[in-house]
Amino acid sequence: MTAPRFTVDASEVEFTAIRAQGAGGQNVNKVSNAVHLRFAIHASSLPDAIKERLLGLSDQRITTEGVVVIKAQTSRSLEQNKAEALERLQALVDSVTTLPKARKATKPTFGSKQRRLAGKATRSQVKQLRGRVSGGD
């Protein structure tokens, strides 16, 4: 049973080309090949339940205004970095599409209760025997 996949519409995503960090040789100051992806959760066409779960995530890529900011700079190609940023955004959306399993409260078994009480009685007996020894004279 797979959860329905909600794809992110490319028209709702804003790309900004920025200079990549790190060493780059002679071209480093001329070429903008890293990408900032910005995705406004509130303005998106995703279902409201998924929007709420996205906003509820404690992810550092999601701003307080509800905008997802992803920086991609692993490739030297601008197009590959755009594709990688979109994949990471899609993975973030996919991570909240499946509902977490509801926890069912269980009761301890009769045997586990008996073992716990026997352990407590043994421990109590050990502590009582640590007291002072009264003289029998």
Side-chain angles (χ1 to χ4, degrees):
M1 183 171 135
T2 343
R5 184 177 168 133
F6 296 101
T7 54
V8 177
D9 190 7
S11 64
E12 297 173 350
V13 177
E14 176 188 330
F15 290 104
T16 309
I18 56 172
R19 288 197 199 125
Q21 295 174 326
Q26 296 172 341
N27 245 3
V28 70
N29 293 324
K30 296 190 288 185
V31 179
S32 299
N33 60 358
V35 162
H36 260 170
L37 174 145
R38 297 179 67 80
F39 176 71
I41 297 172
H42 293 295
S44 69
S45 61
L46 293 173
D48 290 335
I50 292 183
K51 286 182 189 180
E52 286 178 27
R53 279 187 290 223
L54 264 177
L55 292 169
L57 283 178
S58 60
D59 195 315
Q60 64 184 7
R61 297 173 293 184
I62 301 175
T63 65
T64 54
E65 294 86 30
V67 177
V68 179
V69 179
I70 295 177
K71 181 178 182 181
Q73 63 177 8
T74 55
S75 172
R76 293 181 65 177
S77 162
L78 186 67
E79 293 305 316
Q80 287 178 354
N81 283 334
K82 280 184 179 181
E84 181 197 350
L86 269 175
E87 285 174 21
R88 293 199 324 219
L89 175 64
Q90 187 63 54
L92 184 67
V93 171
D94 290 344
S95 71
V96 296
T97 54
T98 56
L99 285 171
K101 268 180 75 173
R103 183 187 179 279
K104 293 181 190 172
T106 57
K107 292 183 179 178
T109 62
F110 179 75
S112 68
K113 286 182 187 177
Q114 295 301 315
R115 287 188 296 275
R116 182 179 65 87
L117 293 175
K120 286 168 73 76
T122 307
R123 196 78 191 134
S124 171
Q125 188 66 30
V126 166
K127 291 191 174 194
Q128 281 179 355
L129 291 174
R130 286 186 190 154
R132 292 182 185 255
V133 178
S134 61
D137 301 330

